[in-house]
Amino acid sequence: IMTLFYNIIKTLRPWQWIKNLIVFTVFFGAGLKDINNLISLFIVFFGLSFISSAGYVINDLVDKKIDINHPIKKARPIASGSISQTQSFFLITTLVIVSTAFFLQINFTVTVLGHVYLLLSISYTYYLKFIKYFDSISISLMFLLRAYVGSRAVDIEISIYLFLFILTSSFML
């Protein structure tokens, strides 16, 4: 059971959740001090983290045949067969339900935007990552969407300067 737990954690890629810290930029940039806003952003952070992990599981399922032949990616739990397709579907479903529960604690707009993020992630997995320039553009849009979800959680508009900073800096990734 510990091996399965380890493989699930590995598949969720929690080290990638650091990208979701961008939801806090509006809070600190606007100089907010309300603890309730900060709590809302933590809820959004975990909601985005779980929904992005659902996207990673989908990506690993879609890329399984490619990953099996990759020297490093073949060790991923789905590619190696340590996590079955059925377990993967259960994991995706659980992650989407949990993230939706997190988002709904904030508001309907955040919930919709969180799911738009997942749809963009799925589009990236199936299609966008194979199109020159659209791969980078979609990654930048995912960063912008994270920040926008944070802004909708605390009802603060993203300034044009923050928008341009996120767009240009994430495009360079």
Side-chain angles (χ1 to χ4, degrees), residues 57-149:
V57 177
I58 292 166
N59 179 74
D60 288 355
L61 277 170
V62 170
D63 289 353
K64 182 178 179 177
K65 291 179 182 174
I66 298 167
D67 290 351
I68 288 171
N69 297 314
H70 191 276
I72 297 170
K73 293 179 181 180
K74 68 181 179 185
R76 287 183 175 173
I78 293 173
S80 70
S82 301
I83 292 182
S84 70
Q85 187 171 352
T86 302
Q87 290 168 322
S88 298
F89 288 137
F90 178 77
L91 195 53
I92 293 164
T93 304
T94 302
L95 289 165
V96 170
I97 290 170
V98 169
S99 63
T100 302
F102 274 78
F103 293 143
L104 284 170
Q105 291 182 51
I106 307 304
N107 60 49
F108 184 72
T109 302
V110 166
T111 305
V112 170
L113 291 170
H115 288 88
V116 167
Y117 176 88
L118 179 60
L119 291 174
L120 184 56
S121 176
I122 292 169
S123 298
Y124 178 82
T125 293
Y126 277 99
Y127 187 67
L128 296 172
K129 71 180 176 182
F130 302 111
I131 304 173
K132 189 175 183 177
Y133 304 118
F134 279 90
D135 57 344
S136 298
I137 291 168
S138 52
I139 289 170
S140 292
L141 288 175
M142 285 190 267
F143 273 100
L144 279 170
L145 193 51
R146 288 175 178 111
Y148 190 66
V149 171

Side-chain angles (χ1 to χ4, degrees), residues 12-74:
L12 298 182
R13 302 181 195 157
W15 58 90
Q16 297 283 355
W17 293 359
I18 195 166
K19 298 173 197 171
N20 299 322
L21 290 173
I22 201 166
V23 301
F24 294 99
T25 56
V26 173
F27 180 83
F28 293 113
L32 298 179
K33 294 179 172 80
D34 183 3
I35 191 72
N36 291 323
N37 284 334
L38 192 57
I39 290 168
S40 293
L41 290 173
F42 270 105
I43 291 168
V44 168
F45 169 81
F46 284 107
L48 277 172
S49 295
F50 293 136
I51 211 150
S52 62
S53 286
Y56 298 140
V57 177
I58 292 166
N59 179 74
D60 288 355
L61 277 170
V62 170
D63 289 353
K64 182 178 179 177
K65 291 179 182 174
I66 298 167
D67 290 351
I68 288 171
N69 297 314
H70 191 276
I72 297 170
K73 293 179 181 180
K74 68 181 179 185

Side-chain angles (χ1 to χ4, degrees), residues 153-168:
V154 295
D155 200 27
I156 298 284
E157 292 298 322
I158 293 179
S159 72
I160 188 67
Y161 304 108
L162 181 58
F163 176 88
L164 291 172
F165 175 75
I166 293 169
L167 185 67
T168 55

Side-chain angles (χ1 to χ4, degrees), residues 1-8 82:
I1 225 158
M2 285 306 289
T3 304
L4 178 60
F5 180 74
Y6 171 75
N7 286 327
I8 288 171
S82 301

